[in-house]
Amino acid sequence: NINAQGGVDLSKITAQGYMDQKLTQVKGTEDRKTIVGQGDQDVRKIETTGSEERKNMMQQTTEEGKTAARQSKYARGLAGMF
């Protein structure tokens, strides 16, 4: 009877181990998909942020150029007064 029970227990443990292994594989696959999806989102966010920063830098450069031109014009006007 003990041998029979041991065989049943062994079968249950083997089946449970198999199920645990398969569940771990499925979870691993799902985790990889989630990570890839998150990575894609992160890349899009970085691209968007970079694009916005470039636009802001271009606008800032334009404004600085206009300010420099105004200051130069003002300085030339003052130099002509002396």
Side-chain angles (χ1 to χ4, degrees):
N1 192 16
I2 292 175
N3 282 338
Q5 185 61 43
V8 170
D9 290 346
L10 180 61
S11 295
K12 286 181 182 179
I13 291 169
T14 301
Q16 185 61 50
Y18 177 80
M19 291 304 297
D20 289 347
Q21 181 184 19
K22 290 301 176 184
L23 288 173
T24 301
Q25 287 175 350
V26 169
K27 185 174 180 340
T29 300
E30 291 303 313
D31 288 348
R32 272 196 306 276
K33 288 178 185 177
T34 300
I35 291 167
V36 168
Q38 185 62 49
D40 290 344
Q41 278 185 341
D42 291 347
V43 167
R44 284 193 296 277
K45 287 179 185 176
I46 290 168
E47 288 173 347
T48 300
T49 301
S51 177
E52 290 299 317
E53 286 180 3
R54 280 191 297 280
K55 288 177 187 176
N56 290 338
M57 289 172 71
M58 288 172 55
Q59 181 64 31
Q60 184 178 1
T61 301
T62 301
E63 294 299 322
E64 288 173 356
K66 289 178 183 178
T67 300
R70 282 193 305 272
Q71 289 174 347
S72 177
K73 185 177 177 181
Y74 179 71
R76 280 194 308 260
L78 287 178
M81 297 176 120
F82 295 104

